[in-house]
Amino acid sequence: MLISEIYHHEPWTISPDKTIKEAMVELIKDGCNGLVVTKDDGKVVGVLAIQDIAAATIPPEFKDNMNLAAAMFKKGFFREMCEELASMPVSDVMRTEYVDVNLETNIMAVMADFLQNDLYLVPVVEEGKLLGVVSRSDIKKALADRMGIGEVQNGE
């Protein structure tokens, strides 16, 4: 199966100079877990996923030491970190090293990238132009389709 068969044709994008708060508004509004970061000319410069935003709330010294993170807990700390993060530009938090694919990429390569790099979305690019994205939901739909599972409503 090729990416051309499953990708989301309307990519979720944001400018690198927008704030993280504006990015969160877009994530919620669009019901997605990641945005492709593009410049005004449409050039892809990064990817911003919910896990990147969540990771930015954690001080670097806590990231590798969960015991320290638990011991340093103070009331209101998460709120303070979120308030600080809200006004930061997307460019400070986005991933600049990201995977992109083209329409002829095999779905197996994309699934391997999703697993290896903990991805939520991958830009679909042809000749430098952003055409869309492949999200975890697109992968889920492709898996279900190939397993003969139709649309499932409310966990049925």
Side-chain angles (χ1 to χ4, degrees):
M1 175 177 265
L2 300 177
I3 293 309
S4 61
E5 299 174 61
I6 67 163
Y7 81 104
H8 189 81
H9 298 279
E10 296 178 19
W12 306 291
T13 63
I14 194 160
S15 171
D17 59 340
K18 295 290 187 181
T19 65
I20 295 300
K21 183 175 182 176
E22 290 170 308
M24 283 299 301
V25 168
E26 289 299 313
L27 290 169
I28 293 165
K29 181 183 80 170
D30 293 338
C32 61
N33 288 314
L35 302 164
V36 179
V37 184
T38 58
K39 290 198 172 193
D40 291 338
D41 63 2
K43 183 178 185 302
V44 177
V45 294
V47 173
L48 179 70
I50 190 65
Q51 77 261 34
D52 302 318
I53 296 170
T57 66
I58 302 170
E61 59 272 16
F62 290 4
K63 289 182 182 176
D64 294 326
N65 189 336
M66 294 200 38
N67 291 330
L68 179 62
M72 297 301 291
F73 174 78
K74 78 172 189 180
K75 187 174 174 124
F77 182 75
F78 180 70
R79 181 178 25 80
E80 291 171 18
M81 293 304 295
C82 289
E83 288 170 358
E84 184 178 312
L85 181 62
S87 61
M88 291 176 67
V90 165
S91 59
D92 284 0
V93 179
M94 70 184 195
R95 295 181 191 199
T96 55
E97 293 184 22
Y98 58 92
V99 175
D100 64 23
V101 296
N102 62 47
L103 295 174
E104 298 302 310
T105 303
N106 186 303
I107 191 172
M108 298 302 286
V110 174
M111 287 194 305
D113 283 336
F114 268 77
L115 294 172
Q116 182 176 3
N117 298 305
D118 192 28
L119 303 175
Y120 278 83
L121 80 160
V122 174
V124 178
V125 178
E126 287 283 336
E127 298 178 14
K129 181 180 178 198
L130 178 64
L131 300 180
V133 295
V134 177
S135 69
R136 287 184 176 195
S137 293
D138 297 319
I139 298 294
K140 178 174 61 176
K141 287 176 191 172
L143 288 165
D145 180 59
R146 292 306 187 250
M147 291 180 189
I149 302 169
E151 291 291 318
V152 176
Q153 300 296 321
N154 298 325
E156 295 174 12

